[in-house]
Amino acid sequence: MEISTIPQLFPAFEKELQREIEEQGEIRSFKTDEQLMRTGQYFRSTMLILNGLVKIYREDDDGNEFFMYYLQPGQACALSMVCAAEHKRSAIMAKAVKDTEIIAIPLHLMEEWMGKYRSWSYFVITTYRARFEELLSTIDHIAFRGMDERLEFYLKKHQETMRTNHITINHQEIANELNSSREVISRLLKKMEQFGKLKLHRNAIEIIQL
């Protein structure tokens, strides 16, 4: 992707800020399933998503994943902003769901732009708020919903984020992200198929009506 797409992805930024991002930012590319962030690492920059899709999640000591949210083009990682600003280690992981390009913004510029550009300050605040609201929604479904409702919420999230009714994923991957077993997920998916909500394929799910 050309770095000149910055104005299209971040149209609310002042032209001078867009120019600084183009000149000072560093484009980095990641292949599908490649890690962008790991638990325990320090950040010297934050990332703005140019294209592709990034999954933010946590991983326990046994390697089980806890899905948190997705990052799409035009969005930024709020947690990397916090860790970079406070010089703290990451408590999360990030992985490219498909081939992805980001532009890395150095820490000193993040801090400088907070006082220099009103649009950047607003962007950071709205990024924090949006990711916090997504986390609350995820936590609500974990704490107050049964696994069947959590599974439906999970599939809807994938459908909306990827803008497709055809999700390439297997039952074990879903079980890992929902901290469940493959047998439980397979049984619930089969039940949803019987109700006409989806159609199961090999390593894929076709959403019909959720």
Side-chain angles (χ1 to χ4, degrees):
M1 172 174 283
E2 297 291 333
I3 199 166
S4 59
T5 57
I6 292 295
Q8 286 74 49
L9 287 173
F10 305 96
F13 288 171
E14 293 94 341
K15 291 189 182 301
E16 181 64 19
L17 174 55
Q18 292 173 352
R19 184 189 63 77
E20 283 204 54
I21 292 174
E22 291 174 352
E23 293 179 353
Q24 304 292 334
E26 177 189 353
I27 290 184
R28 300 174 185 171
S29 299
F30 299 87
K31 296 294 185 182
T32 301
D33 290 330
E34 188 175 351
Q35 295 288 150
L36 284 75
M37 298 189 295
R38 298 180 185 277
T39 303
Q41 82 174 76
Y42 285 103
F43 295 99
R44 293 189 179 90
S45 62
T46 190
M47 61 180 179
L48 307 181
I49 311 300
L50 297 180
N51 65 24
L53 185 66
V54 176
K55 180 176 75 173
I56 304 296
Y57 63 101
R58 293 198 67 178
E59 191 173 81
D60 66 17
D61 294 337
D62 297 321
N64 298 313
E65 295 182 3
F66 170 70
F67 169 74
M68 298 172 69
Y69 53 80
Y70 285 115
L71 293 176
Q72 303 181 67
Q75 296 182 335
C77 180
L79 293 175
S80 70
M81 288 179 170
V82 173
C83 290
E86 298 185 354
H87 307 286
K88 290 185 176 180
R89 294 178 185 268
S90 171
I92 61 168
M93 302 183 76
K95 180 168 64 178
V97 177
K98 52 188 177 182
D99 289 357
T100 296
E101 282 186 325
I102 67 139
I103 185 163
I105 306 299
L107 172 61
H108 73 276
L109 288 178
M110 290 168 49
E111 296 172 339
E112 177 184 323
W113 292 348
M114 286 295 289
K116 187 175 180 181
Y117 297 112
R118 182 183 296 273
S119 66
W120 176 259
S121 177
Y122 181 76
F123 176 74
V124 170
I125 292 170
T126 54
T127 294
Y128 289 159
R129 186 180 66 224
R131 299 295 84 79
F132 179 70
E133 289 173 352
E134 285 188 84
L135 277 176
L136 281 183
S137 179
T138 300
I139 290 169
D140 283 347
H141 278 80
I142 292 171
F144 307 118
R145 308 290 178 90
M147 183 55 69
D148 55 342
E149 291 179 290
R150 287 176 58 192
L151 176 58
E152 187 165 324
F153 170 79
Y154 174 87
L155 293 174
K156 281 182 179 178
K157 195 73 174 175
H158 274 64
Q159 180 187 30
E160 293 167 359
T161 302
M162 299 181 181
R163 297 183 177 90
T164 179
N165 291 331
H166 192 86
I167 302 171
T168 303
I169 194 169
N170 62 48
H171 297 188
Q172 186 60 59
E173 288 173 323
I174 297 174
N176 290 343
E177 294 200 349
L178 294 181
N179 199 22
S180 183
S181 68
R182 184 184 61 79
E183 292 76 15
V184 169
I185 296 302
S186 295
R187 175 173 53 81
L188 291 174
L189 287 171
K190 190 65 179 176
K191 184 177 179 181
M192 293 171 74
E193 184 178 44
Q194 291 170 352
F195 279 104
K197 293 184 175 183
L198 51 80
K199 186 173 179 60
L200 299 175
H201 302 278
R202 183 174 178 81
N203 294 326
I205 298 171
E206 180 183 351
I207 305 297
I208 297 174
Q209 186 176 10
L210 290 178

